[in-house]
Amino acid sequence: MASRKRCVVLGLLAFLWAQWASEGTEEQEEETCRLLGKFDLNGYVDAQNHSLVIGGLFPIHSRIIPPNESILEPVSAKCEGFNFRGFRWMKTMIHTIKEINQRKDILPNITLGYQIFDTCSTISKAMESAMVLLTGQEENKPNIRNSTGAYLAGIVGSGGSSLSIAASRILGLYFLPQVGYASTCSILSDKFQFPSYVRTVASDKFQSVAMVKLIQHFGWVWVGTIAADDDYGKYGVKTFKEQMESANLCVAFSETIPKVYSNEKMQRAVEAVKSSTARVVVLYASDFDLEPFALEMVHHNITDRTWIASEAWITSALLAKPEYFPYFGGSIGFAVPRTDIPGLKEFLSDVHPSRDPRDVLTIEFWQTAFNCTWPNSSVPYNVDHRVNMTGREDRAHAMSHTLCTGEEKLEDLRNTYLDVSQLRITNNVKQAVYVLAYALDHLSRCEEGQGPFVPGNTCAYLPDFDPWQLMFYVKAVRFTTHDGKTVQMDKNGDVMGLYDILNWQLDGNGEIAFVKVGEYIFKENKFELIFKKNSTIFWNTESSQLPHSVCTDVCAPGTRKGIRQGEPICCFDCIPCADGHVSEEAGQRECEQCGEDYWSNAQRSKCVLKDVEFLAYDDALGLTLVVLSVFGALVALAVMVVYGVHRRTPLVQANGRGLSFLTQASLATTALSSMLFIGKPYDWSCMARQVTLALGFSLCLSCILGKTVSLFLAYRISKSKTRLISMHPICPKIMVLLSVLVETGICIAYLVLEPPKVYKNMESQNVKIILECNEGSVEFLCSMFGIDIFLALLCFLTTFVARQLPDNYYEGKCITFGMLVFFIVWISFVPAYLSTKGKFKVAVEIFAILASSYGLLGCIFAPKCFIILLRPERNTDEIVGGRVPTVDKSIQLTSASVSSELNNTTVSTILDD
């Protein structure tokens, strides 16, 4: 607190043009003070016969005349650039005070006066005005809150945010209530710095949130900012940037407009707008600050920009000129809700310079409005001492030689002063006066003993109350306006942020119209941006369509955002999603991984079901294998038919007719079992395929083994030339039965303990699901087929040994070739099976099954069928079963004869030498 007071004291010293000097002599008993100079202020005072005075600070001029640098001592500057809008605000305050004085329900028996000063839209004049309101310029000693002789209750003002901040730092020292009507800077909500400041206009905190919601609504993400080089612009843009960041939006550039014209700074701002890819720019500045910037836009012919306007300039007649429309047309922004004020237009029209020759403001208004010079007046006419807006040459409007007649008609004017169609800030002025009036009324109605102040619940009394006592009532004020709206302030002295959304369009007369296209209102416990259903927004673009303002276009589905190091998040690269990942919506930060049954499509924009691959029946390969499988089974059945028809012939009876039938049946089974490998696999088919194949080959090979053992015995008999005990005919059958039983036992254990199941193979190919069978236990599988391999090996060894039997029908050699084919097929199957994937892997296995079945069928039974069907003369007992005479006198038995004898008798066969 002490440091703040020291800062304020330094500020007072800087802005006070008068200093107190003590003069005294030894005879003088008390000190006297005198002012060294007076502030050059203009305004209106009506304080006589009023017990309370309300001060007012209004920007009736837009600037001060630049000081003469040759004058070294401080001088109170003069003002220029008459502001019709500020003049109307000031008149509205006077109208409102007169209205309150006429009412009987507010402050009965008490009238309000006013003391109003022109701040000239500059901080120095605002400070001068605040000091005069507090101390006056006529007294020998300062008399705080009594500059007019009446009691100063509070202040309405000071227009722009920077002016209110400057004035409030002085007024806040005394806790003197100050009610703002146009200052929206968010820092004014800080009650530690500005304890006595409240306002009837919403804080920029609300407006910044509304702007960001507007930007989001139209899909803009890349927005520039231009701000005035003052508190309003800086704090406004600061709050706006914070809201943009929280919404993950980006500010393309941020430049300031100098308060004092600087060509370098102005060109920097212009170049930022010109070179940026952002087509939407937020302007946080007053209309006075924007005027030179607007001229630069015209000079550089910068079009095709959409401007988001703050409330400070969206309804400004200074900028809303037809010549600016090609550059600022289509501007969209927020404005304080408009209203109508009964009787205001009539009051504004009741003004004439002839009524008071000392009323310099009215004379200047008349001269500026009608472009003439009032006779016998020293008030300058429309002089502009500045370097012109583009900084290229000095200019000063020459004095008009047309004299005003006094007969000019105000109703013929087309300026901001009499335009009551857009009463927005004007209504805030009215409400600000009423805030103080209602606070004073509540204070006057306090009953002793029931007051809000301690100790003793005391009251304050009119007119000599302390400022902080009135401030208590100001903070708690709540009233209903003439248009039915409620005014209530929060703990920070702010009102709710409600706005009209306006769009600059041309009307039928070629003038700029502020068309209301929506609202920002509080609805259902939250603020909402609502646009009119039938409203049409004008966009100042080449296509007249909604502008496109992005740093990088939104990444299309199938891509993700890739961060550019050191650049805003709105500037990024679009990186295609990896295989198996998708981004279904545009602008996604990350790609999402597809589920295990899904894969990304070619565009990476959607997860689609993976192609399920298996060897289908309708597939060309599958159909071919089915045909071969059925054909093989039919061939085996045909052989069985041939054997059945010719079952009594010697060739069929030779070497085990029953084993032959079993062999043929097993070969038909193995051929048909390959069909279990075709089609969509199921758990039952996975269990059936391997078991059927194993049992089929087990039966086939065990039957062949029975034959080969008989041949082996015959070969041993022929070699040893001795009588041996022959093998009983039931022995091969027992051998077959044992082999099949062992195989069946292993298969049952396999199916019970670790049965095969359907398996989705997703490792081989990402884009496909290969449906295959997980064979379960490798040990059981090896055991099953290990028995088949063992039987096949025994068959091969026994027949290989007996292959040299001199027989008219070489069955031993046929079985040997059959076994060779069997082993060649399955040995070549292993590397082929391991090197293929998907349905081709199954096809290789089916091919091995069919090849081995065809090989056994062809090698063993084809020669016999050839003799039975085509060479029946060779199918006789003499040729098939008889002994064959030998040249070397050695008796050799044929395989067929031995087989015949072994099958028809159990008597020992004697081989003589």
Side-chain angles (χ1 to χ4, degrees), residues 369-387:
F370 295 105
N371 195 23
C372 62
T373 302
W374 190 256
N376 303 319
S377 172
S378 60
V379 178
Y381 163 77
N382 200 21
V383 177
D384 189 347
H385 293 82
R386 298 172 299 168
V387 173

Side-chain angles (χ1 to χ4, degrees), residues 10-23:
L10 292 174
L12 286 173
L13 293 175
F15 288 100
L16 282 174
W17 306 118
Q19 62 181 358
W20 305 104
S22 61
E23 297 179 357

